[in-house]
Amino acid sequence: MFSFECDYAEGAHELILKRLLETNLEQLPGYGEDHYCRSAKEKIKKACDCPGADVWFVAGGTQTNALVVDAMLDRFEGVVAAKTGHVNAHESGAIEYTGHKVLALPEHDGKIDAKELEEYLEEFWQNDTREHMVFPGMVYISYPTEYGTLYGKRELEEIAAVCRKFEIPLYMDGARLGYGLMSPAADLTLQEIAKLCDVFYIGGTKVGALCGEAVVFTKNNTPSHFLARIKQHGALMAKGRLLGIQFDTLFTDGLYFEISRHAIRMAGLLKEGFASRGYEFFLDSPTNQQFIVLDHRQLAWLKEKVVFSIWEKKDDAHTVVRFATSWATREEEIRELMGLLDAYR
Amino acid sequence: MFSFECDYAEGAHELILKRLLETNLEQLPGYGEDHYCRSAKEKIKKACDCPGADVWFVAGGTQTNALVVDAMLDRFEGVVAAKTGHVNAHESGAIEYTGHKVLALPEHDGKIDAKELEEYLEEFWQNDTREHMVFPGMVYISYPTEYGTLYGKRELEEIAAVCRKFEIPLYMDGARLGYGLMSPAADLTLQEIAKLCDVFYIGGTKVGALCGEAVVFTKNNTPSHFLARIKQHGALMAKGRLLGIQFDTLFTDGLYFEISRHAIRMAGLLKEGFASRGYEFFLDSPTNQQFIVLDHRQLAWLKEKVVFSIWEKKDDAHTVVRFATSWATREEEIRELMGLLDAYR
Amino acid sequence: MFSFECDYAEGAHELILKRLLETNLEQLPGYGEDHYCRSAKEKIKKACDCPGADVWFVAGGTQTNALVVDAMLDRFEGVVAAKTGHVNAHESGAIEYTGHKVLALPEHDGKIDAKELEEYLEEFWQNDTREHMVFPGMVYISYPTEYGTLYGKRELEEIAAVCRKFEIPLYMDGARLGYGLMSPAADLTLQEIAKLCDVFYIGGTKVGALCGEAVVFTKNNTPSHFLARIKQHGALMAKGRLLGIQFDTLFTDGLYFEISRHAIRMAGLLKEGFASRGYEFFLDSPTNQQFIVLDHRQLAWLKEKVVFSIWEKKDDAHTVVRFATSWATREEEIRELMGLLDAYR
Amino acid sequence: MFSFECDYAEGAHELILKRLLETNLEQLPGYGEDHYCRSAKEKIKKACDCPGADVWFVAGGTQTNALVVDAMLDRFEGVVAAKTGHVNAHESGAIEYTGHKVLALPEHDGKIDAKELEEYLEEFWQNDTREHMVFPGMVYISYPTEYGTLYGKRELEEIAAVCRKFEIPLYMDGARLGYGLMSPAADLTLQEIAKLCDVFYIGGTKVGALCGEAVVFTKNNTPSHFLARIKQHGALMAKGRLLGIQFDTLFTDGLYFEISRHAIRMAGLLKEGFASRGYEFFLDSPTNQQFIVLDHRQLAWLKEKVVFSIWEKKDDAHTVVRFATSWATREEEIRELMGLLDAYR
């Protein structure tokens, strides 16, 4: 049975595997000290147009979030995030495990609102008993969000301005960054993100790599002895080459962007297919995750024939489901899915 | 310049890469729910002759140690280990980061002594103020140790007996397990280890995999909701297939043992080569790590020509260095090294 | 200037100080092993009509909450509480510091709703990806709540039933327990609370003691080695007598209840006084904390003459303030306050 | 039965209780904002001759250690201490609970050696793999030590110089500071300690207070938002007056020093009494804790008649016991003890 369950159902882009094979027996130093890591870092800095950036590779997203949040916060500080933010909702308490509270703000299609953020921060700093509360020490956003939505350039600038006003860093979780940047709805570039965010990560796991995320500190603000912190979190790969070679490949000749664009094109076809057949969308996502509302009968019928994710109950009669495309989605799979929709009666 | 620096200088065994390629576009569920993980687990259980074992895959060794120790201990408990144990000496405080103390015992060529362990535990339980101390909640050993040495069967039985007497689990760090089991000096089998230890891990990263360790709970003693704990530690791989396929390959047709045996044979040649040329050994290691004592001149000369690890200062005139072989070491590299030794004057 | 700022503005009830003086030079064992602690525990068990209860003394409320929550939860679990619960809002992240998330539910005048709790727990357990979320491991309520309100007997029974259904403990923060129990609006007794809750604490700091809270485990459910856990939290008093003597005094001849009743009588006079003068109440509190709505002019005028707490902004023109009575409030202070209100024009 | 078991067997000095009584009904702000706390802080700063010092009050010693160590260290750092240091040996892992390793150095009668400290730090900073180790982030010493011994002025200067050289703070645990300063063997003053240490605490619990320790930051080095950190540790007393009034009393007219001097005089009599009767001392302690070696028969006989602490086994035939004097010890108790020794046969 074919699957739109997620964007990590396949292995890695073939060029990555090819590169792993070619370099396999080269003897390299461990822990990210190899020349592939160095090369990948240089390419990422160039792609970000941020020569002063500091780039690190970590295996997975939750690990990256726990590591970055913990390293950037002081002990009495928490991280501000949308209620639906990954750090708040789907990381098994990994942030709290490091001792920090997630300070949840309301979400609007998965996004926080700059105005609400500012009010929250203002109220905190005006509160006379704030020493009995958790200090907001950084702001976490995801791009695209957990609902596939995107911050517009103006929105991101406003959030960044609030962060600067209150002197706390802005952190962007880019687990699916490529799928955001390549969306026709996006009006932000990687370079602008590097300018507006204090730290962000470029997701590899969901965009063509076997595993791996590239953390980018953009403001000469890497926490001291970051390598020791990575090791302390159990997140330091002995064979750092595995991450370096993958990102070096992804950032050679624009592969990362090219495969992201493909996923977005596939998502466009899928979205159009559902829309033209009269399906209701839970919200309007411009990226690779599409949230469709199905009734019980549709759900039961469809899930026998294709794999997708049950997202949440909408009401007693309807369920929100997610179809995700990825770098690996083939156009014929979309056609096959549409055939299924047409066959449904 | 060729290298004996460590056992993770190369990528992965070619059969692993081949398997990754072959399975690459297969759509699989994430988080270790795929059939390769299931198959690998079955093979490992069979290899351990422990049908009731519960097997989990984690990316790296420090991560595994922090995860297992934290999951098996209650909050007020610590883990007993040799002073030189990896958890005590070389994990950037990853264990303490989880809130637990490492209770260091004396080491004897990297090993703890069953008698000393028993005395330590007895004294603790006889101490009237023990509630003001850290409770010894588990015992950590490594096999081979950080010095390449091995516990004999009798030694392991004695340590296991002490653990049973005091009702605390015995945990074995098998980062290099294959290199221990395949040593001619080993009188322990994988099956015996599975019987004597409550939990242990089979190291992949240093034995032919790109990354990955297989944690084996042998006594129906998996901590509840272990998946959530892995996720909370940031250690849950989205593409669990990466670990499953690697271990499935390593445990097909005895590959894990075959490549370990090769590394040990290479280590034997290397050891013999140093010995026959009159070099002093820091201690007698029967596994893939060999610790040689060099004087300043030897050190300076040799390190221009081959890569190895500086281990520790022996005295003002001598340094202990480590040469490690691995699954990837070629016999001609040993010969080349010996040629270097012969050329030294 | 006299004060209704809080219920911890004075020292201790005079009988407590008298007892401290009388026993001062008696040589006693430390860490709560003295006979005053034992005696106090017996009296509390009797007052709770719970002979099997296990009672412990800790110095303060936040400390107690962090200790109890951490000791009752497994690492991957969080504590469910009202958004306005003290553990969520006013403890500087002390719960998260122990590694646990506070899972916030909506509040209704400071209370959680049994139905909403049940729905939340049901949804969690029906969620297929719950291993990626924080497990609800216990329920925290406060009695009275942070807004002075009280759970009715029926409400507490329903919450307790939900907890039993989902097999998680119910924990009551009784920082102001006496002021709850002695309210004419209360239909719950201490004995019923001991029956319905798995663990709760009887607040001393705000009810006549210099410091101290009595934690009561009611179901043979004390976490193992609780003394070591207290010590590990830095919460073990060397001179445990300080807590034992205070609670022994408070639970001799019903002093705890008598002084609580006094505070409630004073609160009644205060409430009636404000009401009869036409002041608006933020909500209807039946206990020692009264929340009054003042306009800017009233606020400015009044705060020059008497001390009270600014609670929160109600709207652009009004502020919610808190007047608290306590065991130490004198009736003449109420009269003086009413005089002030009458003098205001 | 009378007791030399510890220095916290009695309540508080009578002047403290008197002061608590006199001020009892004064309405004061909570959380240490009252004028007694302010006054006490001023007196302590004056006593330290350190006008720029920043003073905070916390209830107990372990709490203080966990708080200060955690607040001064970065996440990847540990605290260096003697193997027998209280933080390493007798705090139930409270330091590790905050996520930090205690880096144990050898002890010499309870003290660390400046030379060994320097070598340890030098080796750490020369180690190429130090990022895989725990960074030494501060040095902990106790004065007097857990064995009653004292650092000489020269020794403390040397340790402080090493700390300055490696740019890490020196922290002194002064749980029994008064008993150290008032020893005839002491050649250090409080002012010198304030100059040499970056942070230290003046113990109240063991020197005449019911509870309480005064933390002194001497170098404009208070961790940011220290109040929030105290609250987060559960260590913020609502009735801060309890600590303020006690320390205000102890630092009025030199009471702290006067009662410490008394304890030391009593210890001198006790020591002389044992010595003149031929008893063996485990080590030569110049402060209020005296460690005596008893054989089985002596031990069995004596412990029927007077309370003291069993410290540790010396050999199969002998036990080390501790007799402690305090501010509350009466000379007649010493005489009574000597009478017991004389009666033994």
Side-chain angles (χ1 to χ4, degrees), chain D residues 244-293:
Chain D
I245 292 166
Q246 292 189 91
F247 273 97
D248 195 53
T249 308
L250 286 171
F251 280 83
T252 298
D253 299 335
L255 180 63
Y256 186 75
F257 304 100
E258 181 191 318
I259 66 178
S260 296
R261 197 180 298 117
H262 169 78
I264 290 299
R265 198 169 64 81
M266 292 301 106
L269 293 178
L270 184 144
K271 186 178 183 178
E272 197 183 294
F274 272 106
S276 68
R277 282 162 183 83
Y279 281 81
E280 182 192 348
F281 290 79
F282 179 58
L283 48 67
D284 184 23
S285 160
T287 62
N288 76 314
Q289 302 180 82
Q290 295 296 323
F291 299 87
I292 321 282
V293 178

Side-chain angles (χ1 to χ4, degrees), chain A residues 97 169 331 333 336:
Chain A
Y97 187 80
E331 196 162 339
E333 290 170 325
E336 198 174 341

Side-chain angles (χ1 to χ4, degrees), chain B residues 80-123:
Chain B
V80 180
K83 191 173 156 46
T84 48
H86 209 254
V87 288
N88 192 48
H90 286 103
E91 300 190 344
S92 300
I95 299 297
E96 290 81 5
Y97 187 79
T98 71
H100 300 286
K101 193 181 188 70
V102 181
L103 300 157
L105 286 193
E107 55 92 22
H108 308 282
D109 287 354
K111 298 190 281 181
I112 57 168
D113 176 80
K115 197 77 208 142
E116 288 175 358
L117 172 63
E118 187 168 19
E119 282 167 11
Y120 167 74
L121 293 171
E122 252 162 25
E123 270 176 40

